[in-house]
Amino acid sequence: MKRIQLSIILLMIIFTGCENILDLRPKDKLDGIAMFSDPEGVKLYMANLYSQLPIEDFNYRRDGFNGWIGENMYLSMFTEEATHSEYSAFLDPNNLLWWEDGYSLIRDVNLLDNVIPTLNVSDQQRNSMIGEVAFIKAYAYYYLVKLYGGVPIIDELQEYTGDADDLKVPRSTEKDTWDYVLRQCDIAARNLPSVWAGGERRATKWVAYALKSRAALHAASIAKYGERAAMSGEAVTKLLVGIDKSYADYYYEETIKACRAIMDSSSFTLYKENPANANEAAENYRKLFEFPQNATDEVIFIKGYTLPGSGHDNETTFNPAQTANGWPHPGRMCPNLELIDQYESYTYPGSSAPIQTSTAPNDLTDYSGFNVNKAYHRYDNPYEIFKNKDARLWGTVILPGTQWKGVDIIIQAGLIKPDGTAQILTGDPFTYNGKTYYTYGAANNTGYSGFNLERGNYTRTGFGFKKFLDSATPVVYGYRQGLVDYIDFRFAEILLNYAEAVVESNYMKDDAQNQAYIALNRIRHRAAHTVNIPLTIQNVQRERLVELAFENKRFWDLIRRREFHTLFHSKKRHALQPILDLRVTPAKYIFVRSEIQNSWPATFYEQQYYRPIPGIGSNDLIQNPQY
Amino acid sequence: MKNIIISSILFFMLLTIKSCSLDNYEKPNAILFGSFIDQETGELIEQDIINGTKITVIEHGFETPQEQYLVVKNDGTYRNTMMFPNTYTIQPKRGNFVQIDPVDLVIKNETKLDFLVLPFLRIKNPQIYKSANKIKATFNIEQTSIDKVQKIGLYVDPEPSVGEYKRVFAKEIPIGMQVDSSELLTIEIDLNTVSELKSGKSYYFRIGALLNVPEAKSNYAKAVKIQI
């Protein structure tokens, strides 16, 4: 009975509450009017917009921003940069989607755009706000057009008046969408300050130019190289995807101008541009990513993480097994031999320097495994073979036998017994002359970091990963504990964008050829190179690959230059196995170029140059080719 | 109270069981099958099983119809045994032949639909043989258009479904121009230099050639099994 009374009372309360629900002002939240009438409220709202920006940071995986599939499949694992320690990388049409999130951000920014004229703020504040709004629009549409080609441009706040059809906007052409992005970048650059007085990490004039250079270069490449992967269908005939070749030079020139605005401002330079030697250069390069906050001379735009629990998973996911500090899933990012090969050697500047394991003529293409008759080069330690390779290799990758966090990182694939029998990736401990040797280089599985397939915790390729990692703090157990900042734009990328645009369009004005040659070699000098190399398309692309490795650039380079489907056609990526050779005393190391265990060849289908447009059944948009 | 709990459990069980009953739709019991046939020679047109020609079917009677795709077997035939009987708009897309118009067709029981098409290229007089630890393929190419031939290739796989996208090894040669049908083309694989192919095992070898038009797929000769 008491229960019934109680429920009646409850019901009464509920129904009473219904009376004026639409007129009530919530007491625990800011409503729209209060929010925008106070500059502090606007600032809060702006912070929310920034957090929605499609910045391809450390939490960007194949399932998108703040992806949480759990497999940790990063963009670099689709290129020649790396292989996942456990899974093969398959890009499917459901990956990298950003449609609803994108238009939700665009609506939010349009809301703010609408109230700016009514706000009671100084002209200076109003201008910077106009600039920020334009910057956020540019960033959102830049990412949308990169994924989908031409998209509906909704530049003004839409009002719902009862008919959903009124809200439908058709797709703009790909060219018009890129032009919109560049225009918004211009508005942003005109209105934003060069620096924020309080040092806040907000968009500046230079960030706007940097975004413009990245966007214009993407558009230019599609115009120039689109024909490498010509497609058909309604989206193509209506120009919703693809840009006519005749516009390539225009976009390259836009790239050049945006880069020059930053370069000529003298606001930025390269971090520690003149190293004394290669060792110092390697450490400088690594520190640039460990402490971006200390590299304000190079860094243009940073995304930071402040709260443990809302950071990223770099420390746990990337540390080698030996420094995992109890975390059960380390070592996911395994740099490929293909990437290691690309780094120049100081002895032969100007070309990639593939790892030679013997003098055999087919050494570089033979991946059939250890061959007892082959005369392998022998080394005293497992990293001597990389001597003279580019400093950035040493700053990006944990090489076998080198130190990380005070631990010798042991990466070994097996041993050759004195009688010449190979024991590779398998086998029991082997005792010889009173000493016991182990396949993976140590007695138990916490003592090494390579090749064991157990739980995907050991590198499959023979290389560990350290770019972006905290070199001092032990790994904290838990998700999203990483707090190292992410660099979104840095000066080195601007120099490389400039060099690429100049060489691709054969640009001659403003001493461009010479300036681009200087820009390209400035970056190499920072990596302790002393010999200049000529400005060629190949040199610029190799430099992009090694300088910007793992910064989510290579994937988009292959997309925009339409090289993906050619380079990744049943493509196998490879490992380098360090093997202890007991045929000689004292034992030495040999290296075998080999296939990656349990890995599959990767193929990129032309379809993937654009993502499928979702919801065409109801939004009446034209689908992209081949979906 | 206990009664309430028991009765509500029963009620939910009833709901659950109720929803289990079979729906009132017919099973997909119609079959669509057929072949891709060269309209001039009458031969079947060899296809890719992965990333090959796709047959787009659109079922009528829906407000927002979705495209569905059927794949084609290597030998140029196709067969889908799980279609709903209905009227469909059917069009093969992105194939290795000149695009044809869509057709409307009522599919019921076993419905046969052959496509008479003009292949981009014809591989003529294909010969694949082993000599002195080399695999040699010789053939002619007959063009049906004035477009350029992009590349020719010899594809190798342990499975008979070998093709440009299914292979353990491939030797491709870029061409980039028109090819005269009298010109004898040769592709050679030196087995001494190829670590992917193990001696003593049998592999399927297939000659392919790709025309340089948007979204074209390779044209093939029949795969040949050779022990190396």
Side-chain angles (χ1 to χ4, degrees):
Chain A
M1 198 57 205
K2 211 171 179 185
R3 233 172 251 277
I4 293 173
Q5 276 177 355
L6 194 69
S7 0
I8 290 173
I9 293 171
L10 266 173
L11 277 173
M12 278 169 67
I13 293 174
I14 292 167
F15 281 113
T16 323
C18 283
E19 221 172 275
N20 286 328
I21 192 156
L22 297 175
D23 300 340
L24 276 180
R25 290 265 171 106
K27 299 271 185 272
D28 59 339
K29 296 175 192 149
L30 275 174
D31 69 12
I33 300 164
M35 175 95 157
F36 288 131
S37 57
D38 179 357
E40 281 303 306
V42 175
K43 205 168 156 188
L44 207 65
Y45 192 80
M46 198 68 94
N48 176 281
L49 296 181
Y50 272 91
S51 77
Q52 293 183 60
L53 278 184
I55 296 175
E56 296 167 33
D57 67 348
F58 298 133
N59 289 319
Y60 181 59
R61 306 184 179 88
R62 76 167 179 152
D63 50 336
F65 301 97
N66 299 310
W68 203 237
I69 281 181
E71 59 178 9
N72 293 312
M73 191 64 76
Y74 295 85
L75 243 53
S76 43
M77 295 169 180
F78 295 98
T79 72
E80 56 276 79
E81 293 167 287
T83 296
H84 193 284
S85 61
E86 203 171 7
Y87 306 113
S88 293
F90 290 110
L91 194 63
D92 74 50
N94 294 318
N95 293 153
L96 304 178
L97 302 184
W98 198 67
W99 186 268
E100 274 151 43
D101 291 345
Y103 280 101
S104 149
L105 170 59
I106 287 162
R107 181 169 176 81
D108 286 355
V109 75
N110 281 338
L111 260 168
L112 176 60
D113 199 8
N114 244 16
V115 300
I116 290 178
T118 67
L119 293 178
N120 182 22
V121 290
S122 70
D123 278 353
Q124 194 195 349
Q125 282 172 314
R126 197 184 313 279
N127 280 345
S128 65
M129 224 177 266
I130 290 170
E132 276 182 301
V133 162
F135 169 73
I136 290 166
K137 285 183 183 176
Y139 214 131
Y141 280 102
Y142 155 70
Y143 190 67
L144 284 171
V145 63
K146 195 160 86 160
L147 291 186
Y148 300 103
V151 294
I153 293 174
I154 297 164
D155 193 42
E156 304 215 319
L157 194 63
Q158 289 188 316
E159 296 285 352
Y160 180 59
T161 51
D163 187 359
D165 280 343
D166 291 348
L167 300 177
K168 290 180 182 174
V169 178
R171 294 175 68 180
S172 296
T173 65
E174 173 153 7
K175 179 176 185 299
D176 286 350
T177 315
W178 284 111
D179 289 344
Y180 176 82
V181 172
L182 302 190
R183 223 163 38 238
Q184 294 300 321
C185 287
D186 287 338
I187 298 174
R190 252 199 324 273
N191 289 286
L192 283 168
S194 303
V195 62
W196 286 82
E200 295 103 320
R201 290 169 173 177
R202 300 170 74 161
T204 62
K205 180 193 282 288
W206 312 120
V207 183
Y209 278 126
L211 176 62
K212 187 179 179 187
S213 88
R214 194 187 277 175
L217 186 63
H218 198 114
S221 319
I222 289 176
K224 182 165 182 186
Y225 291 116
E227 64 184 16
R228 285 178 173 171
M231 293 187 239
S232 70
E234 200 182 353
V236 176
T237 50
K238 293 196 168 158
L239 305 175
L240 306 183
V241 297
I243 303 174
D244 191 87
K245 205 171 180 174
S246 59
Y247 295 111
D249 283 347
Y250 162 73
Y251 287 115
Y252 281 124
E253 187 164 21
E254 288 294 299
T255 314
I256 290 164
K257 283 186 197 155
C259 293
R260 279 304 281 265
I262 300 172
M263 292 157 70
D264 295 345
S265 77
S266 306
S267 300
F268 299 94
T269 172
L270 292 174
Y271 176 66
K272 306 212 170 165
E273 197 162 353
N274 297 303
N277 54 48
N279 288 345
E280 196 186 301
E283 196 55 12
N284 290 345
Y285 179 76
R286 196 189 60 72
K287 281 192 177 145
L288 167 61
F289 303 101
E290 185 181 3
F291 306 108
Q293 64 272 30
N294 297 345
T296 44
D297 41 355
E298 169 156 359
V299 169
I300 302 175
F301 196 40
I302 287 188
K303 176 170 179 174
Y305 309 84
T306 47
L307 279 179
S310 344
H312 50 75
D313 293 324
N314 282 5
E315 308 300 329
T316 44
T317 312
F318 297 155
N319 258 286
Q322 284 167 269
T323 54
N325 199 24
W327 179 253
H329 319 291
R332 262 53 194 165
M333 185 78 90
C334 315
N336 291 323
L337 179 55
E338 277 69 14
L339 174 69
I340 311 303
D341 281 349
Q342 283 300 316
Y343 288 90
E344 284 176 65
S345 134
Y346 294 112
T347 4
Y348 301 104
S351 64
S352 61
I355 304 295
Q356 288 276 357
T357 65
S358 74
T359 47
N362 66 344
D363 187 65
L364 295 179
T365 53
D366 178 12
Y367 294 105
S368 57
F370 174 75
N371 176 351
V372 71
N373 298 319
K374 204 166 168 180
Y376 291 97
H377 299 310
R378 290 195 171 97
Y379 298 92
D380 291 335
N381 62 52
Y383 50 86
E384 196 187 326
I385 192 170
F386 308 105
K387 204 177 145 192
N388 277 331
K389 283 277 259 184
D390 195 306
R392 288 167 292 185
L393 169 65
W394 297 76
T396 305
V397 169
I398 298 179
L399 298 167
T402 56
Q403 277 218 334
W404 175 244
K405 290 192 169 184
V407 180
D408 284 332
I409 301 301
I410 293 172
I411 299 173
Q412 185 182 312
L415 41 95
I416 310 297
K417 294 179 182 171
D419 64 359
T421 1
Q423 177 177 315
I424 296 170
L425 304 172
T426 175
D428 296 324
F430 173 71
T431 308
Y432 177 60
N433 280 349
K435 199 175 167 202
T436 306
Y437 298 92
Y438 302 91
T439 303
Y440 298 123
N444 55 49
N445 61 8
T446 51
Y448 57 82
S449 298
F451 294 109
N452 187 344
L453 285 181
E454 192 190 324
R455 289 182 294 151
N457 287 355
Y458 306 89
T459 173
R460 281 202 279 181
T461 60
F463 301 100
F465 178 72
K466 71 178 171 192
K467 195 172 176 178
F468 315 128
L469 289 190
D470 184 326
S471 65
T473 325
V475 171
V476 181
Y477 191 100
Y479 288 107
R480 303 269 166 120
Q481 301 293 320
L483 298 179
V484 171
D485 290 342
Y486 174 77
I487 307 176
D488 190 19
F489 290 100
R490 60 187 178 104
F491 191 54
E493 184 198 344
I494 304 304
L495 293 179
L496 286 168
N497 290 352
Y498 178 71
E500 179 174 340
V502 167
V503 68
E504 288 284 358
S505 61
N506 201 17
Y507 196 75
M508 291 296 174
K509 288 180 218 163
D510 305 325
D511 191 28
Q513 293 288 327
N514 188 37
Q515 290 299 321
Y517 166 79
I518 293 171
L520 175 70
N521 282 297
R522 254 181 101 175
I523 292 169
R524 293 178 63 261
H525 286 184
R526 194 254 299 267
H529 285 278
T530 48
V531 182
N532 284 351
I533 59 173
L535 179 74
T536 64
I537 293 175
Q538 291 80 1
N539 282 344
V540 173
Q541 287 310 312
R542 186 184 55 251
E543 200 54 31
R544 280 187 77 89
L545 175 58
V546 299
E547 172 70 26
L548 306 174
F550 302 100
E551 294 176 39
N552 292 331
K553 298 294 178 292
R554 179 65 179 167
F555 181 89
W556 298 111
D557 288 354
L558 293 175
I559 295 254
R560 66 183 167 83
R561 299 175 61 82
R562 297 291 191 257
E563 287 172 338
F564 230 139
H565 70 291
T566 322
L567 286 177
F568 279 74
H569 193 123
S570 306
K571 175 160 177 96
K572 282 184 178 172
R573 289 164 286 178
H574 296 96
L576 186 69
Q577 299 178 334
I579 292 169
L580 190 64
D581 189 352
L582 297 170
R583 289 175 295 184
V584 287
T585 320
K588 296 209 171 200
Y589 287 92
I590 60 169
F591 293 83
V592 176
R593 297 173 70 94
S594 68
E595 305 214 332
I596 298 173
Q597 301 176 77
N598 285 5
S599 75
W600 292 91
T603 296
F604 182 95
Y605 297 106
E606 291 175 37
Q607 176 200 50
Q608 306 276 14
Y609 281 121
Y610 294 98
R611 308 271 100 206
I613 305 267
I616 50 164
S618 54
N619 61 20
D620 295 347
L621 298 179
I622 295 164
Q623 187 54 284
N624 276 333
Q626 306 193 19
Y627 285 104
Chain B
M1 191 62 205
K2 208 173 176 184
N3 281 340
I4 297 177
I5 293 176
I6 291 173
S7 52
S8 52
I9 289 175
L10 278 174
F11 178 68
F12 280 111
M13 275 177 73
L14 213 72
L15 279 185
T16 324
I17 293 166
K18 178 77 178 108
S19 62
C20 281
S21 63
L22 290 171
D23 65 26
N24 51 357
Y25 292 105
E26 285 290 315
K27 273 190 248 177
N29 53 11
I31 295 173
L32 177 68
F33 72 103
S35 319
F36 285 85
I37 298 169
D38 189 329
Q39 62 190 31
E40 285 170 8
T41 66
E43 290 169 0
L44 286 178
I45 298 174
E46 292 265 320
Q47 301 289 336
D48 263 313
I49 197 136
I50 296 179
N51 203 28
T53 306
K54 282 201 173 92
I55 304 169
T56 315
V57 297
I58 300 172
E59 189 172 356
H60 289 199
F62 292 89
E63 203 177 312
T64 54
Q66 295 280 318
E67 291 186 345
Q68 298 179 64
Y69 299 108
L70 315 182
V71 293
V72 184
K73 287 189 243 180
N74 270 47
D75 63 358
T77 65
Y78 71 95
R79 185 177 184 86
N80 189 313
T81 58
M82 298 280 268
M83 305 276 289
F84 288 103
N86 202 340
T87 311
Y88 290 83
T89 300
I90 303 173
Q91 186 182 28
K93 280 188 180 168
R94 295 183 284 282
N96 51 7
F97 45 81
V98 178
Q99 181 75 47
I100 55 173
D101 292 330
V103 289
D104 283 355
L105 183 71
V106 179
I107 298 178
K108 58 182 178 189
N109 306 325
E110 282 207 34
T111 306
K112 184 175 178 185
L113 176 61
D114 284 340
F115 299 101
L116 289 173
V117 294
L118 183 65
F120 287 143
L121 301 168
R122 295 192 186 99
I123 313 283
K124 293 285 186 186
N125 316 316
Q127 301 266 351
I128 304 180
Y129 55 93
K130 186 181 166 188
S131 82
N133 216 22
K134 281 181 182 169
I135 300 288
K136 266 190 157 180
T138 61
F139 55 99
N140 302 93
I141 286 182
E142 191 177 296
Q143 292 202 224
T144 60
S145 66
I146 54 159
D147 292 298
K148 291 170 181 166
V149 176
Q150 193 177 329
K151 65 179 178 188
I152 57 174
L154 182 57
Y155 302 97
V156 195
D157 199 81
E159 307 284 336
S161 50
V162 54
E164 195 190 335
Y165 289 90
K166 184 173 188 326
R167 75 214 196 179
V168 291
F169 184 76
K171 178 79 177 275
E172 293 183 326
I173 300 173
I175 302 290
M177 55 178 163
Q178 288 183 38
V179 176
D180 190 88
S181 63
S182 65
E183 187 185 344
L184 189 70
L185 300 162
T186 310
I187 306 177
E188 227 178 55
I189 297 176
D190 185 351
L191 295 171
N192 296 320
T193 63
V194 178
S195 57
E196 285 89 346
L197 306 179
K198 311 269 176 284
S199 77
K201 279 184 75 176
S202 289
Y203 292 93
Y204 288 88
F205 292 80
R206 198 176 184 203
I207 299 165
L210 181 62
L211 190 70
N212 194 5
V213 296
E215 299 180 329
K217 301 285 153 53
S218 289
N219 289 89
Y220 294 100
K222 272 206 176 326
V224 177
K225 188 176 182 179
I226 296 176
Q227 191 181 18
I228 63 170

